Amino acid sequence: MIKKILEHCQKGSNGVGFNEVVLMLYNSVATAEVSMDMDDVRFTDDGGSVTFMADNGTHLHMKLDMLKAVRFQYVEQNERGLPSYSVWFLDENQESVLRIYLRKSEIESTNQPRHDLFMELLKTYGESVQLKD
């Protein structure tokens, strides 16, 4: 299910995917952020892990079998007055371990299709997807 969701985020349904994002590795003690385009997302052959590759060689790995839920977060206006779109990957304690935030695109014409894609994801999957063991 996670692979299906990530591929939907990456490719979109109208030819425009998430593209410009910030991946936030998150726990209660520390956070790390990586800006990237979601052009290079790799799954292991067994489907147990995903690797998000950034242009400069920076990458993040995520073990999919450790995840228990995916949450789609949409806020119409954040503290800067802009819409906020994010996908949170949750562990067994329903704590987020990795978040994908859509950045406002430098290419203005892609912002509306990216908004439409996120709304489509919410409609397709709902606000939260509980994953089976």
Side-chain angles (χ1 to χ4, degrees):
M1 176 58 87
I2 295 174
K3 182 177 181 182
K4 180 180 173 184
I5 291 171
L6 286 172
E7 287 175 338
H8 198 168
C9 293
Q10 180 186 24
K11 297 172 185 165
S13 53
N14 59 7
V16 176
F18 275 9
N19 301 333
E20 300 167 55
V21 298
V22 173
L23 293 185
M24 179 187 284
L25 196 58
Y26 181 89
N27 65 41
S28 60
V29 177
T31 61
E33 295 181 2
V34 176
S35 295
M36 64 177 289
D37 294 331
M38 279 191 60
D39 295 334
D40 194 354
V41 178
R42 304 174 188 180
F43 296 90
T44 56
D45 290 339
D46 66 1
S49 295
V50 63
T51 302
F52 300 92
M53 301 293 296
D55 287 339
N56 61 4
T58 300
H59 57 278
L60 291 172
H61 302 285
M62 183 167 60
K63 293 181 181 180
L64 301 180
D65 61 345
M66 304 288 288
L67 300 174
K68 302 303 177 194
V70 177
R71 184 177 303 143
F72 296 92
Q73 302 264 115
Y74 171 67
V75 177
E76 236 176 270
Q77 286 192 338
N78 63 16
E79 61 279 352
R80 294 185 322 225
L82 298 170
S84 177
Y85 311 87
S86 59
V87 182
W88 294 20
F89 298 89
L90 309 174
D91 66 12
E92 68 276 358
N93 298 319
Q94 298 297 298
E95 297 290 328
S96 74
V97 293
L98 182 84
R99 301 175 183 181
I100 300 174
Y101 288 92
L102 275 70
R103 293 187 325 221
K104 186 173 190 274
S105 179
E106 304 277 327
I107 305 166
E108 189 62 41
S109 63
T110 66
N111 285 320
Q112 186 62 47
R114 293 167 72 225
H115 167 84
D116 295 343
L117 171 58
F118 198 89
M119 294 299 117
E120 178 184 324
L121 291 165
L122 274 172
K123 184 176 179 183
T124 301
Y125 301 106
E127 288 183 12
S128 183
V129 177
Q130 296 301 312
L131 305 170
K132 297 179 181 171
D133 291 327

